Amino acid sequence: MPVSSPNKNMTILGAGLVGSLLSIYLKRRGYNVDIYERRPDLRQAGAYGGRSINLALSDRGFASLKRIGLDDEIRKVGIPMHGRMMHDVKGQLTYQAYGKDGQSIYSVSRGGLNFKLMDLAEAEGVRLHFNLRCNEVDLAEQTLHFEHGDTRQKMSLPYERLFGTDGAFSALRASMMKTDRFEYSQDYLPHGYKELTIPATPEGEFAMEPNALHIWPRGHFMMIALPNPDKSFTCTLFFPYEGSPSFSEINTPADLMAFFETYFADTIPMMPALVEEYFANPTPSLVTIRSFPWKYSDSALLMGDASHAIVPFYGQGMNSGFEDARVFDELFEQIGEDWEQLFSAFQLSRKPDADAIADLAKANFVEMRDKVADADFLLRKKIEAKINEKYPNVWIPLYTMVTFSPGIRYSEALARGKYQDGLMDQLMAMGNWYEQFDSPALDLAIDEIVAKYHFQ
Ligand SMILES: Cc1cc2nc3c(=O)[nH]c(=O)nc-3n(C[C@H](O)[C@H](O)[C@H](O)COP(=O)(O)OP(=O)(O)OC[C@H]3O[C@@H](n4cnc5c(N)ncnc54)[C@H](O)[C@@H]3O)c2cc1C
């Protein structure tokens, strides 16, 4: 039970990535912090859902971890991915760097990062309560209603200030949805996903280049793979539920092998447990959730996936949730304990950015599954890198703004990216840059286009 010193007790729903990080920020501000988590303490099982699941952590996430001094430690255990490695249907590879000067995103273990944050939170005095699923939040009475995961025993607890970091199907958001003028939308992609594994080779090595994010772009679908510290790769097949080809057509091991032989033949020798994993693993869906407002009076606030769940194609869900927590903490520094004003400032500041990254993530699915295999697209990327090299303060590629530039808001990145796209269309029409890539003509065209750059 929280100790009762008025206005000093913070309650967090969900000890996931965002809730655990937020708890440390709040604890360091001098509050008593209690987190209630639906699941048992997975640290005791030593594994996170039994499988090796990784996430791409990039500069926005690192900026938030830096605030609690955890960035270097996580960087050391993560695996840097400097670019995309595209696999075509014949198994031929094309590499494209993500940024310049070794800029990288990092493959980190979801469980490892979550455990580390929970350990640090506990070490600093945050109280974690497991196996308690919140079924309802009585917003008017400021009371939480829980059910114990094993005993099914019900219990209710009062709260002073509540943070809902309980993920895409948030209990706090569900209760807020019953209030007047609460806006909510969810839309599912026609695709689901399947996680598969490329284990380490018999010699104990990575079976593919470890410092890259691997992509098998196949038009309407794709597979990706991120490296793990045990030298395996976690692969994710993003594939339509219905149509042809789709999950609905793969019902037997023979169907599966025929599909893989057609589209992902180079992976078959690297996936000894393909059939077992494919039929054993679930096929989760992919949803974008938007909501508003994120606050209820000055007593409750949504953050992370609970307020804005996005599809994973920009690798920014966790990063944006971490950024939520950091922006909140920065606003706290300016506004202090005027909670109504603080919550208002937070939601007004973050909503446009959450909407922007939701749109960017959807658009990046098309880019990853389709465009990265396209010669025109690759040429555009090469030219953009050249412009950025020549005019680093004017022209920043969209991917760099989103992934490596925490100082640029997502909403600004989206707007500038659209603007730059228009200029790139003009530039591409000014010459045959396949043939003239190294010619002075491209330099002149770049100068001419950059002279037009007037983004407000
Ligand atoms: C396939 C896939 C790949 C992804 N890859 C990336 C990536 O590469 N990079 C990236 O930045 N993001 C990625 N994401 C997104 C990322 O996983 C989420 O954005 C991130 O986990 C959100 O963190 P969160 O703490 O808000 O929510 P969650 O991680 O979902 O945590 C919510 C916590 O609340 C608990 N909880 C839920 N309901 C209740 C309840 N009623 N009562 C009590 N506790 C409750 C849950 O058990 C959980 O511990 C990916 C997502 C998917 C699906």
Side-chain angles (χ1 to χ4, degrees), residues 217-356:
R218 297 294 181 263
H220 282 90
F221 58 96
M222 69 171 181
M223 188 161 70
I224 64 167
L226 275 72
N228 296 310
D230 66 0
K231 302 201 172 174
S232 65
F233 286 85
T234 304
C235 306
T236 313
L237 169 64
F238 296 98
F239 198 38
Y241 284 110
E242 305 293 337
S244 187
S246 72
F247 283 121
S248 71
E249 287 188 335
I250 299 178
N251 299 307
T252 64
D255 296 340
L256 178 66
M257 294 316 292
F259 169 66
F260 262 69
E261 268 152 27
T262 308
Y263 294 103
F264 306 117
D266 64 335
T267 65
I268 295 175
M270 299 189 285
M271 286 185 169
L274 172 59
V275 172
E276 292 81 348
E277 283 193 330
Y278 184 91
F279 290 103
N281 290 348
T283 316
S285 54
L286 294 159
V287 68
T288 302
I289 291 176
R290 297 174 203 253
S291 67
F292 203 75
W294 295 345
K295 78 177 191 63
Y296 180 83
S297 179
D298 64 351
S299 58
L301 186 69
L302 295 167
M303 223 182 255
D305 273 20
S307 47
H308 52 81
I310 60 177
V311 291
F313 306 109
Y314 232 116
Q316 288 294 316
M318 162 189 61
N319 284 286
S320 65
F322 279 180
E323 195 171 66
D324 282 352
R326 178 168 55 84
V327 169
F328 180 81
D329 201 48
E330 284 166 1
L331 286 169
F332 184 94
E333 257 169 17
Q334 295 163 27
I335 296 170
E337 287 185 315
D338 183 340
W339 297 99
E340 174 83 47
Q341 205 204 326
L342 176 60
F343 285 6
S344 291
F346 172 76
Q347 65 176 14
L348 287 176
S349 160
R350 287 303 283 167
K351 173 67 173 160
D353 293 328
D355 285 342

Side-chain angles (χ1 to χ4, degrees), residues 13-19 36-39 54-57 110 132-134 165-169 171 193 195 226 236 238 286 303-306 312 315-319:
L13 280 183
L17 293 161
V18 177
Y36 295 90
E37 166 58 45
R38 180 186 63 180
R39 289 183 292 199
N54 46 35
L55 294 159
L57 178 63
R110 176 190 279 271
L132 286 172
R133 171 200 283 268
C134 176
T165 53
D166 47 343
F169 300 97
Y193 67 94
E195 279 159 345
L226 275 72
T236 313
F238 296 98
L286 294 159
M303 223 182 255
D305 273 20
Q316 288 294 316
M318 162 189 61
N319 284 286

